[in-house]
Amino acid sequence: MRPFEYLAPKDLDEACSLLSKHRDEAKILSGGQSLVALLRQRLVSPAYVIDIRRVPGLDYIREDKDGLSIGALTTHRTVEISPAVAKRFPMLAEAEHRLAHRQVRNWGTIGGNLSHADPGGDLAPSLMALGAEVKVVSAKGKRTIPVVEFFTDYMVTVIEPDEIMVEVSIPYLKAGSGGAYHKESIRAGDRPIASVAAVVSLDGKAGIIRSARIALGGVGLTPILAKEAGKSLAGKKATAAVVLEAGAIAAREAQPTADVEGSVEYKRHIVGLLTRDMLNLAMARAQSK
Amino acid sequence: MKMPLQFRVNGEDYEVYVEPWKTLLEVLRDELELTGTKAGCLAGECGTCTVIVDGKAVKSCLMLAPQAAGREIMTVEGLAQGGKLHPLQQAFIDHFAFQCGFCTPGMLMSSKALLDENPHPTADDVKEGLYGNFCRCTGYVKILEAVLAAGAKPRG
Ligand SMILES: Cc1cc2nc3c(=O)[nH]c(=O)nc-3n(C[C@H](O)[C@H](O)[C@H](O)COP(=O)(O)OP(=O)(O)OC[C@H]3O[C@@H](n4cnc5c(N)ncnc54)[C@H](O)[C@@H]3O)c2cc1C
Ligand code: FES
Ligand code: FES
């Protein structure tokens, strides 16, 4: 690692003022489960590392009136085993359960995971499909960004160099809705060949799909909201044929590249199958509510 | 530039001066000369560097040393007490759970954290808890048996 100056702000205000002073020369450190590896490989060489790990008030899971709020410094493990997450968004607990392994989950944080913006990250697809937002703050103020607008390019987000992510908030599902997420990978916990999150809202009596949102991981420069696939389901009766068709559309919306995880064709194929399976699971869950 | 770092390791208080770009792994091995913790991949993959920080298993190759300030660290050197092996260590011997032994310190620390949280784990619980620890020799079965045996014993 190249030498850097280590700064440990005692609160959010101090963290913001350090960031507004050092901007591009600084990197935020949360759990370091991604950053330390980048530092070691000298892929990043900041002059300042601003460690926000002990900044108080950013480690919580709160059941608010309209949604679940998760502080940016909440660890993966805390989210994985949270009763509130299990009750409200089992798909998120499932995503966490297959994110890396116990040691990484014990120290890595939800804010760091999203900010790192690995297109194969396990949390973004579910959060996109659920319509979640992130809150960021800086010395200038705060803003809220829908997760679907958060990622702009390979490992790039809309976060400015002086901004800190402080919270992820997820609106509760309406009655008759359900969600599911699965990562297909060579070993469970590895990088995805492809991953798919689906959230479906059903019109109970008629068996009609009111709306569906599908998001894909690991098959593009960013996580992808498969808009057309979701749209294709709205207002349709939930038959095997429409679900299969949505899978085919999602496979076309994916933008995979060939690598050790598989060829372009294979990854698209997996996207199609996972989309079908996650839609079916999401609908089964929607009906059981 | 070096900075002071105070923490507790295996029940003893330490104050060392470290460069902040060192990892906890480097500080444990090079400053404290606790070389039981092994440096494997240095990328968070293999688990040989696993230590327990405030009760949780973490990979010391991915923790910047300053993040350990004020925390309670346990390494493999802290397992045996008063010249007596920890029940997990004894179980690893009894069940032939190592060959070259390079993965063993990490396996033991992940297992210790697991048993502290869940004293009587199932085979699936153990597999889950040791998922981040690689062994290139044993094929894992003996390790699984050892941890299950240690978990089955009443522990005092
Ligand atoms: C072996 C291994 C396997 C892994 N497997 C998976 C996997 O299967 N799925 C998966 O999704 N991830 C996986 N990861 C990635 C990892 O779990 C997360 O990306 C990690 O937890 C990031 O969180 P952190 O707190 O450690 O962030 P850090 O490493 O501290 O930071 C990551 C990046 O985000 C920035 N940042 C951190 N916090 C904030 C904030 N609050 N506001 C703004 N910017 C911030 C940092 O500056 C840095 O650029 C794996 C990692 C390892 C080492
Ligand atoms: S050396 Fe830390 S996980 Fe391999
Ligand atoms: S005993 Fe050799 S790596 Fe496990």
Side-chain angles (χ1 to χ4, degrees):
Chain A
M1 272 181 245
R2 291 218 173 84
F4 51 74
E5 193 168 327
Y6 172 84
L7 303 168
K10 60 182 182 319
D11 57 29
L12 201 53
D13 282 347
E14 191 186 345
C16 286
S17 70
L18 286 172
L19 273 176
S20 67
K21 189 158 139 213
H22 299 304
R23 293 187 63 95
D24 288 324
E25 286 192 307
K27 269 280 173 196
I28 297 173
L29 173 71
S30 287
Q33 301 301 294
S34 296
L35 185 62
V36 172
L38 295 182
L39 290 169
R40 177 175 285 114
Q41 295 165 36
R42 300 189 176 184
L43 291 171
V44 295
S45 309
Y48 303 91
V49 166
I50 300 179
D51 182 358
I52 62 168
R53 181 80 201 198
R54 290 172 212 250
V55 164
L58 297 179
D59 177 3
Y60 56 84
I61 297 180
R62 215 174 45 220
E63 289 183 89
D64 288 336
K65 194 160 75 59
D66 303 319
L68 195 71
S69 301
I70 306 179
L73 286 178
T74 310
T75 64
H76 297 301
R77 180 69 177 153
T78 304
V79 177
E80 180 189 2
I81 61 177
S82 153
V85 173
K87 180 174 88 185
R88 302 285 189 175
F89 305 109
M91 67 192 296
L92 192 59
E94 288 159 6
E96 289 283 16
H97 187 60
R98 282 293 162 240
L99 186 153
H101 43 250
R102 185 69 59 85
Q103 293 99 314
V104 166
R105 296 201 292 273
N106 276 339
W107 206 248
T109 67
I110 186 167
N113 183 277
L114 292 174
S115 306
H116 185 58
D118 184 328
D122 273 299
L123 304 182
S126 296
L127 294 174
M128 284 177 147
L130 287 164
E133 296 176 330
V134 298
K135 291 198 176 70
V136 303
V137 302
S138 71
K140 297 195 295 277
K142 50 179 128 174
R143 57 187 184 125
T144 301
I145 307 154
V147 177
V148 291
E149 292 167 19
F150 185 68
F151 305 100
T152 54
D153 202 343
Y154 183 69
M155 295 177 76
V156 184
T157 72
V158 298
I159 290 198
E160 296 289 333
D162 63 342
E163 287 179 320
I164 305 178
M165 185 192 296
V166 292
E167 187 179 278
V168 179
S169 53
I170 319 171
Y172 294 138
L173 291 173
K174 298 199 175 64
S177 306
Y181 171 79
H182 185 76
K183 162 170 70 174
E184 189 68 16
S185 53
I186 292 171
R187 283 177 10 125
D190 277 0
R191 306 189 47 72
I193 296 166
S195 69
V196 173
V199 172
V200 182
S201 172
L202 293 177
D203 192 336
K205 279 156 276 168
I208 302 285
I209 299 171
R210 216 179 286 140
S211 65
R213 280 163 72 96
I214 297 161
L216 319 175
V219 286
L221 293 175
T222 65
I224 295 171
L225 183 72
K227 288 201 194 90
E228 298 307 319
K231 243 190 262 167
S232 77
L233 294 160
K236 299 252 174 72
K237 202 165 159 48
T239 62
V242 301
V243 168
L244 214 56
E245 175 59 16
I249 298 171
R252 288 200 291 277
E253 286 182 90
Q255 299 159 15
T257 48
D259 56 25
V260 287
E261 266 82 31
S263 65
V264 169
E265 297 73 18
Y266 179 64
K267 289 185 184 180
R268 285 193 200 277
H269 180 65
I270 295 291
V271 168
L273 297 182
L274 284 182
T275 301
R276 176 198 66 189
D277 291 352
M278 292 307 105
L279 283 170
N280 284 333
L281 184 54
M283 289 192 286
R285 286 177 174 170
Q287 272 155 354
S288 71
K289 280 216 193 150
Chain B
M1 206 190 16
K2 292 200 173 184
M3 55 181 285
L5 171 64
Q6 293 174 334
F7 57 173
R8 247 177 120 72
V9 182
N10 300 330
E12 264 183 69
D13 290 320
Y14 286 87
E15 175 164 353
V16 288
Y17 284 78
V18 301
E19 289 157 330
W21 52 90
K22 293 288 192 266
T23 60
L24 176 60
L25 173 67
E26 290 169 304
V27 171
L28 290 172
R29 289 182 55 88
D30 303 339
E31 302 292 327
L32 273 53
E33 299 188 354
L34 293 171
T35 53
T37 306
K38 299 299 175 213
C41 65
L42 304 182
E45 304 277 351
C46 75
T48 62
C49 66
T50 303
V51 300
I52 297 177
V53 177
D54 289 347
K56 299 208 180 311
V58 300
K59 296 194 157 171
S60 59
C61 72
L62 288 187
M63 191 193 277
L64 274 195
Q67 289 207 325
R71 298 189 192 271
E72 180 100 39
I73 319 286
M74 187 178 196
T75 70
V76 71
E77 288 91 345
L79 282 179
Q81 292 294 327
K84 198 166 170 292
L85 291 180
H86 186 276
L88 266 168
Q89 290 172 306
Q90 191 59 50
F92 269 56
I93 294 173
D94 295 342
H95 291 266
F96 304 98
F98 47 85
Q99 291 176 24
C100 81
F102 195 79
C103 70
T104 311
M107 288 286 179
L108 286 168
M109 299 322 285
S110 284
S111 304
K112 167 87 166 64
L114 173 74
L115 291 185
D116 286 348
E117 210 178 286
N118 177 3
H120 304 294
T122 64
D124 280 347
D125 295 338
V126 177
K127 287 183 192 169
E128 179 61 33
L130 298 185
Y131 206 82
N133 293 77
F134 294 173
C135 175
R136 308 307 298 267
C137 303
T138 64
Y140 301 98
V141 175
K142 302 280 176 195
I143 296 172
L144 178 64
E145 287 170 4
V147 181
L148 284 173
K153 288 214 181 82
R155 290 168 345 114

